[in-house]
Amino acid sequence: MRNTMDELAVGQKGSVKAINAPKQLKRRLMDMGFTKGVGVEVVKMAPMGDPMEISVRGYHLCLRKAEARSIELV
Amino acid sequence: MHTIALVGNPNSGKTTLFNALTGSTAYVGNWPGVTVEKKEGLSNGHKILDLPGIYSLSPYSPEEQISRRYILNEQPDLIIDVIDATNLERSLYLSTQLAELGRPLLLALNMEDLLVKDGIAIDTKRLSQMFGTPVVQISATKGTGIAELKEEIEHALSNPQTPPCPLFSSSIERKLTTLIEDDYLHEIPHGRQMRWAAIKLLEGDELFLETMPPIPPELNAYLEKTRSSLEGLYDDDVESIIVDQRYKVAERLARESLIQKEAKEKRFTFDTIATHRIWAIPLFILIMSGVFFLSVGVVGGGTTALLEGFFENLAEWVVATGESWQVHPFLIGILSDGIIAGVGAVLTFVPQLFILFLLLSILEDCGYMARIAFIMDRQMRSMGLSGKSIIPLVIGTGCTVPAIMSTRTIEHQKQRELTIIVTPFIPCGAKMPIFALMLTYFFRNKWYMAPLMYVMGILAVIVTGLLARAIDRHKETNAFILELPRYQIPSPTSVWRQTKDRTLGFIYKAGTIILLASILIYLLSSYSFAFKAVDAEESMLALLGRVIAPVFIPLGFGFWQAAVALLTGIAAKETIVSTLSVVIGTSSLTSFFDPAGALAFMTFILLSSPCVAAMAAMLKELGSKRKFLFAILWQFGFAYLVSLLVRYIVLLII
């Protein structure tokens, strides 16, 4: 079974393996620093459990679960 | 004259640096995407350009396309890459792309003060050696390092140097070298770098290929072969391989230039409540209510009556002095019943707007805005909007124009258009005086009436959003990627500048548009078409007003004075107050409106189309006359229906 970032709970960490998204979204996510092997951590969830706050490359950003699902972890 | 472009990630402090360099007071805030259009200024005789923030030079997002096209076509003499030093890796990723554009480059490491707080230092010499461009450390907010930066700018301009390009792994470098040697690349437009062109060619970058003649078949075959061999080697597409390579370069640069990093994991206590699962949304509501309670309730309540009294006395004094000096009654009339009544009625609201603008700039500066987008995204999405739509709605409580401009950070076109259509439903600062005036005369002891106006505005947003979502058959979802900036203590200078600018803007309007409108309204309401001094009832204004007034009969304010006030409100919403003061006189408002009519009048103003400046912004941002017309008709129709409803509900209750 594939591991994806949306399955992480708050405080859990992972390492990016691949991004399975259409070209444009994939480039956008990679531009934001989600490249192979980079470490990610879920910092927080919004009040309704979506979107999620992710720490990557020393900064924080928020993503919806739908986008997080396209980030495959090791 | 030299041209210098400021480029960098969103929220890296480009505009703050722009202000520091040029001495201007452009709008800054602490969320990604404050600057949506390029701004120009002068510093030391050089033209400085503040470009919108970008994360990359990819061909996909409009801001990135604009910045990229600008640098390639306008060939600025120097690019200053403004880097958020607390976010070195991701910033340097953009730098690796800027370095390839063939223009002199200077790295300005901003937010030095925050680095110190984090216990981090950056070896600028080392970074400069490795990257091959000058590096200066600054704090644009505190103003440190600006002198050194200016020196470096002069130095870089007097002996311009093309920065060295970052090197990728040897397997890719070999392919690039082969491409550079190909005759085809000699056809690239003047001033473009061979290496940059080779990378774009390999990536198959559409924007780049548009500028080139068709690729010869042999080269195409070579490209295909190279791409598939690289893709086999790295198990990814070429575009992603290049991104990955750039990040590797950025990682190395950051790793080797960062020193003495103490692992200081800061957990912001405010954030734990601000984005708390249960408390986040109540806190947001509490903060916004607090903003309005402080400005409208506490400050407004105290100062409005005081200033009203002052202007009444002033008018009486003018009349008395004028009469004793035997000034022509016409002039006395213009001065006391036109200018002082009209402009005075508007100026009465300066103190409370000052507080409103002050509190809003603090909110914008501290980093809370992006968190609101984060916590509200789910709710906003269920109405066909995006979490980012909340930022325009909050800004809209100050002024609709910048609010509409700020919708540009919303990636999805439909959500953006919907946000533009609903933003005017949130009452702006200029509508506040109208509500305050009506509330004073009709609902004096009903404290809940002022918040009710905001609630009605929010409900209008929700209803429109839900309707739009119900009609939309595609229900497509889209990406929502937003950087959450660090919280910071708002900088007093930037908060003060912003508050001052917005308040002065309001006063300026009172001294220009409203002054003119007051004089015009006074003249039109005192003279007939035969230019004879007449009673207001027979004046030109009354005749004009009576043409449109019947439309408003069902709403309970079908008399010409209200119609004229609404008409003048198109110029600026505060004008409604000044017009009512001139044609009716605030104290006799109660003989014209009944409470139901007054509330319907307020509702109509709340929801109907905004002032001409906001309408211009809507037209520009919607980019289509058809959509604009739809937006205006929707706002007008919605306002009419709801006002009708409100009137009958009040009539039923009373």
Side-chain angles (χ1 to χ4, degrees):
Chain A
M1 223 196 60
R2 271 185 10 206
N3 264 334
T4 51
M5 200 168 74
D6 62 306
E7 292 162 10
L8 293 185
V10 173
Q12 282 189 321
K13 291 177 188 177
S15 166
V16 175
K17 186 178 164 202
I19 296 175
N20 307 301
K23 201 172 160 187
Q24 209 162 326
L25 176 61
K26 180 175 178 183
R27 172 72 190 258
R28 183 84 204 279
L29 289 168
M30 291 193 78
D31 280 342
M32 299 307 286
F34 292 100
T35 59
K36 265 182 210 173
V38 82
V40 294
E41 182 187 347
V42 176
V43 181
K44 211 167 275 165
M45 299 279 185
M48 310 276 282
D50 187 20
M52 53 208 300
E53 181 175 343
I54 308 287
S55 161
V56 62
R57 293 189 186 272
Y59 79 98
H60 292 196
L61 90 169
C62 86
L63 286 179
R64 286 192 189 139
K65 287 224 159 146
E67 285 107 56
R69 201 164 300 132
S70 65
I71 298 179
E72 196 180 328
L73 303 176
V74 177
Chain B
M1 192 164 68
H2 292 292
T3 309
I4 301 168
L6 299 182
V7 186
N9 285 169
N11 217 32
S12 63
K14 291 174 296 301
T15 304
T16 314
L17 177 62
F18 176 81
N19 287 345
L21 283 175
T22 61
S24 60
T25 55
Y27 178 29
V28 292
N30 183 15
W31 80 85
V34 183
T35 303
V36 286
E37 271 188 335
K38 64 179 205 282
K39 280 193 279 280
E40 275 185 37
L42 279 177
S43 166
N44 241 357
H46 309 306
K47 190 161 92 179
I48 311 273
L49 263 150
D50 181 16
L51 292 170
I54 50 174
Y55 291 108
S56 167
L57 289 173
S58 87
Y60 304 124
S61 104
E63 291 82 28
E64 294 178 357
Q65 284 178 18
I66 291 171
S67 299
R68 173 167 150 173
R69 229 177 247 139
Y70 172 79
I71 299 168
L72 289 174
N73 298 344
E74 307 298 320
Q75 302 265 315
D77 299 292
L78 177 67
I79 299 173
I80 299 182
D81 179 6
V82 185
I83 287 181
D84 170 357
T86 63
N87 216 332
L88 199 56
E89 235 170 64
R90 205 199 54 217
S91 309
L92 288 171
Y93 167 70
L94 176 66
S95 316
T96 65
Q97 300 177 61
L98 295 173
E100 282 166 359
L101 296 178
R103 304 310 305 159
L105 183 66
L106 195 165
L107 304 192
L109 301 183
N110 194 13
M111 316 212 186
E112 191 186 18
D113 48 321
L114 289 181
L115 272 188
V116 177
K117 249 190 229 163
D118 285 5
I120 303 171
I122 295 176
D123 185 345
T124 48
K125 272 215 189 80
R126 180 100 182 89
L127 183 60
S128 169
Q129 270 169 7
M130 285 196 298
F131 195 62
T133 65
V135 177
V136 189
Q137 209 163 46
I138 60 165
S139 164
T141 350
K142 300 261 148 66
T144 55
I146 301 295
E148 289 97 306
L149 179 68
K150 282 185 175 168
E151 254 169 57
E152 279 297 341
I153 290 175
E154 293 309 320
H155 184 75
L157 286 173
S158 54
N159 38 140
Q161 269 169 3
T162 313
C165 294
L167 289 180
F168 302 146
S169 73
S170 56
S171 51
I172 297 167
E173 285 301 327
R174 267 196 306 266
K175 313 283 184 198
L176 290 176
T177 315
T178 320
L179 281 176
I180 289 170
E181 282 161 5
D182 196 284
D183 284 340
Y184 174 73
L185 269 195
H186 293 278
E187 297 179 38
I188 53 167
H190 173 73
R192 310 268 154 112
Q193 290 297 96
M194 292 292 265
R195 187 189 155 79
W196 177 79
I199 295 171
K200 294 294 121 183
L201 199 57
L202 198 58
E203 285 179 330
D205 184 298
E206 291 133 24
L207 273 188
F208 169 72
L209 292 179
E210 277 169 21
T211 64
M212 295 290 285
I215 303 172
E218 316 86 74
L219 181 62
N220 223 349
Y222 174 75
L223 282 172
E224 289 296 328
K225 204 182 83 197
T226 313
R227 279 186 201 132
S228 63
S229 95
L230 284 176
E231 277 162 16
L233 194 60
Y234 288 91
D235 187 29
D236 216 337
D237 58 280
V238 172
E239 201 180 335
S240 307
I241 298 172
I242 301 284
V243 174
D244 197 59
Q245 289 290 322
R246 289 187 193 286
Y247 258 114
K248 288 222 163 69
V249 173
E251 275 167 27
R252 192 171 50 84
L253 289 169
R255 197 174 46 233
E256 297 199 14
S257 55
L258 279 180
I259 28 182
Q260 61 145 89
K261 182 165 182 171
E262 301 163 27
K264 252 196 206 170
E265 190 58 15
K266 270 202 175 173
R267 290 285 175 199
F268 294 96
T269 43
F270 175 69
D271 196 55
T272 34
I273 323 168
T275 56
H276 189 271
R277 266 169 181 267
I278 297 160
W279 299 114
I281 293 170
L283 181 78
F284 170 52
I285 296 171
L286 195 74
I287 289 180
M288 289 315 289
S289 320
V291 166
F292 297 112
F293 178 71
L294 269 177
S295 52
V296 185
V298 177
V299 176
T303 55
T304 312
L306 211 71
L307 285 169
E308 252 175 20
F310 168 76
F311 284 114
E312 267 166 33
N313 289 337
L314 186 68
E316 276 167 27
W317 179 82
V318 164
V319 173
T321 326
E323 276 167 359
S324 70
W325 288 1
Q326 295 188 327
V327 177
H328 194 280
F330 169 73
L331 279 178
I332 300 177
I334 281 197
L335 205 58
S336 66
D337 296 339
I339 297 175
I340 296 177
V343 177
V346 172
L347 286 182
T348 312
F349 297 95
V350 168
Q352 66 194 65
L353 281 176
F354 175 80
I355 300 297
L356 176 71
F357 294 147
L358 179 77
L359 296 175
L360 282 180
S361 353
I362 292 175
L363 272 190
E364 284 175 37
D365 227 38
C366 72
Y368 185 51
M369 287 293 197
R371 267 73 187 188
I372 305 174
F374 171 65
I375 59 170
M376 295 294 287
D377 178 59
R378 192 58 195 275
Q379 286 77 0
M380 300 303 279
R381 220 184 320 162
S382 61
M383 318 169 210
L385 295 162
S386 150
K388 293 183 190 174
S389 310
I390 199 84
I391 298 177
L393 296 180
V394 172
I395 311 235
T397 57
C399 175
T400 312
V401 177
I404 285 173
M405 303 279 288
S406 72
T407 58
R408 283 204 201 166
T409 51
I410 302 167
E411 297 95 342
H412 193 255
Q413 189 59 21
K414 260 192 198 144
Q415 292 181 341
R416 209 186 133 211
E417 285 166 4
L418 188 58
T419 310
I420 294 172
I421 294 172
V422 299
T423 300
F425 285 147
I426 299 297
C428 69
K431 285 182 181 175
M432 227 162 65
I434 311 164
F435 303 147
L437 177 77
M438 300 304 279
L439 293 178
T440 326
Y441 286 98
F442 295 97
F443 308 98
R444 189 170 275 283
N445 295 316
K446 304 210 166 65
W447 64 269
Y448 50 83
M449 293 304 288
L452 186 73
M453 297 316 287
Y454 286 97
V455 171
M456 255 200 311
I458 294 165
L459 283 178
V461 172
I462 296 174
V463 168
T464 309
L466 289 178
L467 275 176
R469 197 175 144 83
I471 295 167
D472 183 17
R473 265 158 288 139
H474 307 295
K475 297 214 177 23
E476 42 191 320
T477 47
N478 66 296
F480 174 71
I481 303 171
L482 178 68
E483 186 185 347
L484 296 166
R486 294 165 56 118
Y487 285 101
Q488 61 179 29
I489 294 174
S491 134
T493 21
S494 90
V495 166
W496 168 243
R497 265 183 180 169
Q498 233 160 281
T499 311
K500 194 184 70 182
D501 282 357
R502 290 179 188 177
T503 314
L504 284 180
F506 182 81
I507 297 173
Y508 177 79
K509 258 198 292 179
T512 50
I513 302 178
I514 292 162
L515 179 74
L516 277 176
S518 303
I519 296 174
L520 199 71
I521 294 294
Y522 174 75
L523 291 178
L524 289 176
S525 66
S526 312
Y527 290 87
S528 69
F529 277 107
F531 296 106
K532 276 214 297 248
V534 288
D535 255 14
E537 282 303 317
E538 280 128 48
S539 66
M540 289 185 257
L541 199 64
L543 283 173
L544 288 173
R546 282 194 192 106
V547 178
I548 19 175
V551 179
F552 299 111
I553 292 174
L555 305 187
F557 47 90
F559 42 91
W560 67 267
Q561 290 90 338
V564 165
L566 288 176
L567 210 58
T568 57
I570 295 173
K573 290 290 147 185
E574 312 89 298
T575 326
I576 295 178
V577 171
S578 60
T579 305
L580 284 179
S581 318
V582 175
V583 296
I584 296 182
T586 46
S587 47
S588 13
L589 277 175
T590 36
S591 49
F592 283 87
F593 291 94
D594 57 12
L599 195 62
F601 187 65
M602 287 160 66
T603 311
F604 188 77
I605 292 164
L606 169 75
L607 301 175
S608 64
S609 300
C611 70
V612 73
M615 283 199 270
M618 279 171 66
L619 175 62
K620 189 165 162 238
E621 296 304 314
L622 285 170
S624 133
K625 286 204 179 93
R626 200 176 53 84
K627 285 174 189 160
F628 171 69
L629 208 65
F630 170 78
I632 297 292
L633 284 177
W634 172 256
Q635 287 162 354
F636 186 84
F638 194 72
Y640 196 90
L641 282 178
V642 176
S643 309
L644 195 68
L645 204 69
V646 162
R647 179 174 180 229
Y648 283 100
I649 290 173
V650 177
L651 286 178
L652 271 179
I653 295 171
I654 296 181

